[in-house]
């Protein structure tokens, strides 16, 4: 590895995407949103008329994934959310996506956000953050995002969907969501985006400093 690898894990809508993107820009590193990989695999399965919970079809879609699939504009929203969560619980899908994620960081290092970056993909990452926020805070943020886009999903529904996805991500046998033992926890419940970024940057810079 020729550059630092920064692993940012945590549940949905904890703010890790925004943080990871800003960290990458500030540190001059490439950025990969690994959730997009699972979303794009789910979409490929749906395109082929398959069931995202079918291991053979989902694994074939994962092996066929191309970087251009990550540019699709239909990777967000409830259908893509559900398809991504389903394919993400299939070990053969996770195995097929492992090399893609490791290769991404080979040339210059990278900032990657996801669920298992610090535990499975890069256990030796230079810095590991586990970004969390309360369920209510995360659902409130997701609700505000949807409302800004003109969506009319009730807050109670957003909260319940998020609770269900949290449970799926944490309970699955393949790479369940959990902090790496050496991850630093960052709770963004009471932090605005700038305060969360300042805290994250300070933690990462501490790890990047030569011992
Ligand atoms: O972060 P996200 O909401 O875009 O993730 C989409 C789904 O993929 C979600 O169910 C969690 C799963 N995922 C995963 O299992 N491992 C990752 N590294 C990233 C996402």
């Amino acid at each position: 590895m020729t550059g630092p690898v920064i692993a940012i894990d945590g549940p949905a809508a904890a703010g890790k995407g925004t943080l990871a993107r800003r960290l990458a820009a500030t540190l001059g590193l490439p950025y990969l949103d690994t959730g997009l990989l699972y979303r794009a695999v789910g979409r490929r399965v749906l395109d082929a008329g398959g069931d995202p919970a079918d291991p053979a079809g989902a694994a074939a879609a994962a092996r066929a994934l191309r970087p251009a699939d990550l540019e699709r504009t239909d990777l967000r929203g409830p259908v893509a959310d559900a398809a991504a969560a389903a394919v993400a619980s299939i070990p053969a899908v996770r195995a097929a996506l492992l090399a893609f994620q490791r290769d991404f960081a080979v040339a210059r290092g990278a900032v990657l956000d996801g669920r298992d970056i610090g535990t499975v993909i890069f256990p030796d990452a230079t810095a590991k953050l586990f970004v969390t926020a309360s369920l209510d805070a995360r659902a409130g943020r997701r609700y505000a995002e949807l409302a800004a886009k003109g969506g009319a999903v009730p807050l109670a529904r957003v909260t319940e969907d998020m609770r269900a996805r949290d449970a799926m991500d944490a309970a699955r046998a393949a790479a369940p969501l959990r902090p790496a033992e050496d991850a630093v926890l960052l709770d963004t419940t009471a932090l605005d985006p700038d305060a969360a970024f300042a805290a994250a940057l300070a933690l990462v810079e501490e790890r990047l400093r030569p011992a």
Side-chain angles (χ1 to χ4, degrees):
M1 210 64 66
T2 51
V5 173
I6 317 291
I8 315 281
D9 289 305
K16 60 186 191 305
T18 308
L19 276 183
R21 205 171 287 110
R22 279 181 79 174
L23 284 172
T26 301
L27 300 170
L29 292 170
Y31 165 61
L32 181 64
D33 170 358
T34 65
L36 285 183
L37 304 177
Y38 296 91
R39 291 170 177 278
V41 170
R43 273 291 173 201
R44 266 186 170 265
V45 175
L46 294 175
D47 285 353
D51 174 1
D54 164 46
R63 286 191 291 270
L65 194 73
R66 297 287 169 269
D69 292 325
L70 307 183
E71 311 297 326
R72 292 177 66 145
T73 53
D74 57 359
L75 299 180
R76 307 268 169 209
V79 175
D81 286 351
V87 302
S89 68
I90 299 172
V93 168
R94 308 198 70 87
L97 298 179
L98 187 87
F100 186 105
Q101 295 172 79
R102 290 198 177 148
D103 288 351
F104 184 83
V106 162
R108 297 201 285 133
V111 179
L112 301 96
D113 77 59
R115 303 290 190 285
D116 64 341
I117 309 304
T119 50
V120 176
I121 310 296
F122 288 106
D124 298 327
T126 320
K128 300 180 185 179
L129 292 187
F130 193 85
V131 183
T132 59
S134 69
L135 176 67
D136 284 346
R138 292 184 292 117
R141 290 175 197 164
R142 181 55 54 83
Y143 173 77
E145 267 171 41
L146 292 171
K149 286 188 203 148
V153 188
L155 177 59
R157 167 82 198 284
V158 176
T159 308
E160 273 325 299
D161 283 356
M162 197 163 279
R163 193 196 303 278
R165 270 183 65 203
D166 282 359
M168 253 177 109
D169 288 344
R172 67 175 179 225
L177 175 66
R178 62 172 177 81
E181 269 171 25
D182 51 351
V184 181
L185 257 72
L186 179 61
D187 186 331
T188 66
T189 305
L191 300 179
D192 66 28
D194 285 342
F197 175 66
L201 184 62
L203 291 168
V204 168
E205 281 182 332
E206 203 179 297
R207 294 295 166 101
L208 291 178
R209 221 172 282 136

